[in-house]
Amino acid sequence: MSQNIDAVRISIIIPTLNEAENIKEAIATTQPNTNIEVIIVDGGSKDDTIEIAKSLGVKVISSSPGRAAQMNTGAVAATGKILLFLHADTCLPTGFDDMVRTALQQPGTVAGAFNLRIDASLLSLRWVELGVNLRSHFYQMPYGDQAIFLTKAVFQQIGGFPELPIMEDFELMRRLKRIGRIVIIPTPVVTSARRWLQKGVFKTTLLNQIVIIAYLLGVSPERIRRWYRREKLKKI
């Protein structure tokens, strides 16, 4: 990436499944910026997600459902040298494009992500943010809702996202850490509080930690996903 920094195209890949309530705002935060493309990879939405995305003039493609499969499909379609994976309920900060290009110019850096801010005023969520941001900086382990970015060449080198039913971002970071540094941009992305509000902040945080521990202990991702889905569907 020795060419003019603004000439390096960023492909923003957004996996969607019934995200009509969020997709317009997420796309809006990608505009206007220098030399980017936005690719919506839909996994079978039954609402107006696709129509809204098309009306905003971004590329829309379809994929089999599953975040990892959708993001890998988007990466194949991407024309940029840099890939940025954005969740549909997450908004990028102003000037993100320059931040991303500059971060990837740093020697030894193979990938990056942003600090996290959660879009709700609960004090407990400030503690969640603090924990996420400390983990990201000290352990170089950002997760998908922090807008992970890397060059397409590195993405291909590590084989893309492992097509797991859950923990695909966690496993991607483990692979990346073996080959270089993961930089965390201190300016935050802003993500929806919906998953914390649906189940409660404490329960959501606890479930997330149980999932990580189970994965590290060798429990199959499919089994973890089935259990996690049941927990999500339970009424609090």
Side-chain angles (χ1 to χ4, degrees):
M1 288 174 52
S2 58
Q3 66 198 88
N4 181 322
I5 194 167
D6 287 336
V8 182
R9 170 169 277 203
I10 301 174
S11 296
I12 300 169
I13 297 162
I14 309 178
T16 57
L17 183 64
N18 300 323
E19 291 287 358
E21 290 185 14
N22 298 299
I23 193 62
K24 185 174 182 179
E25 188 176 5
I27 292 172
T29 63
T30 71
Q31 313 288 329
N33 286 291
T34 306
N35 201 9
I36 66 158
E37 69 174 347
V38 178
I39 304 172
I40 304 298
V41 189
D42 193 75
S45 292
K46 304 300 183 188
D47 63 4
D48 295 331
T49 299
I50 292 175
E51 289 73 18
I52 292 168
K54 285 182 176 177
S55 75
L56 296 169
V58 299
K59 183 186 291 187
V60 179
I61 60 178
S62 295
S63 160
S64 55
R67 191 172 269 157
Q70 289 171 244
M71 292 189 291
N72 286 339
T73 298
V76 171
T79 62
K81 287 193 172 182
I82 297 173
L83 307 177
L84 186 154
F85 297 96
L86 181 67
H87 287 187
D89 63 352
T90 300
C91 293
L92 291 164
T94 302
F96 75 88
D97 51 333
D98 288 338
M99 297 178 204
V100 166
R101 292 186 183 101
T102 300
L104 289 176
Q105 295 278 325
Q106 297 177 25
T109 296
V110 295
F114 293 80
N115 266 355
L116 184 72
R117 194 163 85 237
I118 303 167
D119 188 17
S121 58
L122 291 174
L123 179 61
S124 53
L125 289 174
R126 305 291 78 82
W127 287 103
V128 172
E129 291 169 351
L130 179 63
V132 167
N133 294 331
L134 286 173
R135 180 200 70 220
S136 301
H137 282 275
F138 288 105
Y139 295 103
Q140 295 184 54
M141 284 295 289
Y143 296 164
D145 51 10
Q146 293 171 255
I148 294 166
F149 57 85
L150 70 173
T151 65
K152 191 169 186 178
V154 168
F155 187 75
Q156 291 171 336
Q157 178 187 338
I158 62 168
F161 279 96
E163 296 210 3
L164 303 172
I166 196 168
M167 303 293 287
E168 74 287 334
D169 49 356
F170 184 87
E171 185 57 38
L172 183 85
M173 287 298 118
R174 292 175 81 192
R175 294 179 184 182
L176 286 167
K177 282 176 66 175
R178 296 183 192 122
I179 62 171
R181 177 170 170 262
I182 299 164
V183 68
I184 307 298
I185 294 173
T187 305
V189 292
V190 180
T191 196
S192 167
R194 59 183 177 175
R195 62 193 174 99
W196 287 278
L197 299 180
Q198 282 168 358
K199 298 191 295 289
V201 176
F202 176 77
K203 184 174 182 181
T204 302
T205 304
L206 180 62
L207 285 175
N208 290 343
Q209 295 312 306
I210 291 171
V211 164
I212 292 167
I213 292 166
Y215 182 75
L216 291 174
L217 289 174
V219 179
S220 79
E222 182 57 42
R223 187 174 176 187
I224 295 171
R225 185 186 66 87
R226 286 198 304 267
W227 173 80
Y228 188 69
R229 271 200 176 160
R230 280 200 304 272
E231 289 298 322
K232 280 177 73 175
L233 292 171
K234 285 181 184 176
K235 291 184 179 178
I236 300 167

